[in-house]
Amino acid sequence: MKAHIESLVEYMQYLKELGCDGFPVQSRPGQDRPAAFSVPVPGDDQKLSMENIRLAVEECRKCRLAGTRTHAVPGEGNEKTDIMFIGEAPGYDEDQQGRPFVGRAGRLLTDIITAMGMTREEVFIANVIKCRPPDNREPMGDEIEACSPYLFRQIEIIQPKIIVTLGRYSTTTILGLSQQTRMSDLRGRFFSFKGAKVMPTYHPAYLLRNEKDKKLVWSDMKLVLQELGRPVPAAKSR
Ligand code: URA
Ligand code: SF4
């Protein structure tokens, strides 16, 4: 049985989330356990809760990255937030800790969020890819295809007003654009996705190498604050 279900009550709740009202659950031929005991993945059922997404991601083996990860990184923050920040994939520190954006690029993202007058706890931070690609290589197409349903379901649950896509993979995955599209052609204006306004901007890891572009990201974040009806902090040089 699934390790995280410890009581009959929990199991009944779990079945309900999967769209079943109760027993009996049929075993599939050749299976020694009921189908509903396997870890849910988007596609099996579109109504996964945030908690079940987390459980599914932590046990997911849908792509090769399951073989090299230390910890999967489902994403974290406030489910009731107006704004999501979406990155590419976990790096070394994220893989060690199971949390998004906690390394060097993460500190810069945290600084950006703070400069916007918000905290990490009040926003939601996630990645397109939930497990670290070895040596921080770029995600492959089949990995994005396998993993992105988790992110899409997270967006569906949160229904944010604003999605800030950080870098090319995040932006092109959300907007369904060619990965060859240049960030300089995309950033700085709103797109729409499922009722949210999407602001593409440069990835913090890129900003660590291209400091001069911090001011462009800050100008993008000012547009985001205006759209949210939040105060725009005075002159900020980042
Ligand atoms: N870069 C990302 O895209 N995501 C993280 O979580 C960390 C670094
Ligand atoms: Fe599953 Fe995504 Fe991890 Fe691949 S990267 S194993 S699809 S959670």
Side-chain angles (χ1 to χ4, degrees):
M1 174 178 321
K2 194 172 161 304
H4 300 280
I5 294 177
E6 272 154 19
S7 70
L8 183 60
V9 173
E10 258 184 84
Y11 176 51
M12 297 300 280
Q13 277 167 352
Y14 178 70
L15 284 182
K16 214 165 162 190
E17 282 207 9
L18 288 174
C20 315
D21 284 330
F23 293 107
V25 178
Q26 298 289 320
S27 287
R28 290 185 197 142
Q31 280 192 331
D32 61 358
R33 57 184 193 163
F37 281 129
S38 58
V39 174
V41 293
D44 285 0
D45 178 84
Q46 292 307 311
K47 301 260 178 302
L48 294 184
S49 65
M50 196 62 91
E51 174 63 5
N52 269 348
I53 293 173
R54 187 179 67 75
L55 295 175
V57 164
E58 284 171 356
E59 301 189 28
C60 180
R61 308 205 65 83
K62 285 201 296 170
C63 84
R64 66 182 75 72
L65 299 178
T68 48
R69 73 181 172 221
T70 310
H71 294 109
V73 182
E76 66 185 27
N78 178 1
E79 276 183 51
K80 305 254 180 321
T81 186
D82 280 346
I83 179 165
M84 293 177 78
F85 291 83
I86 300 178
E88 179 177 316
Y92 175 83
D93 295 285
E94 292 75 22
D95 176 66
Q96 290 292 308
Q97 297 183 40
R99 297 183 56 209
F101 282 102
V102 290
R104 232 175 121 226
R107 274 195 293 282
L108 181 51
L109 177 62
T110 306
D111 286 349
I112 293 169
I113 292 169
T114 308
M116 294 171 79
M118 302 186 287
T119 63
R120 281 179 67 111
E121 293 70 34
E122 71 183 273
V123 306
F124 198 92
I125 304 175
N127 286 304
V128 173
I129 296 282
K130 309 299 192 191
C131 304
R132 182 193 183 206
D135 302 320
N136 299 341
R137 67 156 167 76
E138 298 189 349
M140 295 180 181
D142 60 338
E143 293 160 358
I144 294 176
E145 201 178 316
C147 208
S148 54
Y150 293 122
L151 174 66
F152 290 137
R153 177 62 188 147
Q154 289 174 316
I155 294 171
E156 198 172 72
I157 292 170
I158 293 173
Q159 298 193 310
K161 289 201 180 103
I162 302 278
I163 299 172
V164 176
T165 53
L166 303 163
R168 199 155 50 95
Y169 283 97
S170 168
T171 304
T172 57
T173 300
I174 296 288
L175 298 180
L177 300 170
S178 152
Q179 278 170 10
Q180 309 317 317
T181 321
R182 292 157 56 96
M183 279 309 295
S184 56
D185 293 334
L186 295 170
R187 61 148 286 275
R189 60 202 163 105
F190 287 109
F191 293 77
S192 60
F193 176 75
K194 298 208 172 179
K197 291 201 166 171
V198 178
M199 174 59 78
T201 199
Y202 291 119
H203 192 289
Y206 165 89
L207 292 181
L208 291 172
R209 303 185 303 267
N210 299 273
E211 292 240 337
K212 66 172 184 2
D213 283 341
K214 284 185 177 178
K215 62 181 186 306
L216 296 177
V217 171
W218 183 242
S219 104
D220 300 346
M221 295 308 99
K222 286 198 285 193
L223 294 176
V224 163
L225 289 169
Q226 274 164 15
E227 189 63 35
L228 288 171
R230 281 176 163 261
V232 178
K236 183 80 207 172
S237 59
R238 64 174 78 253

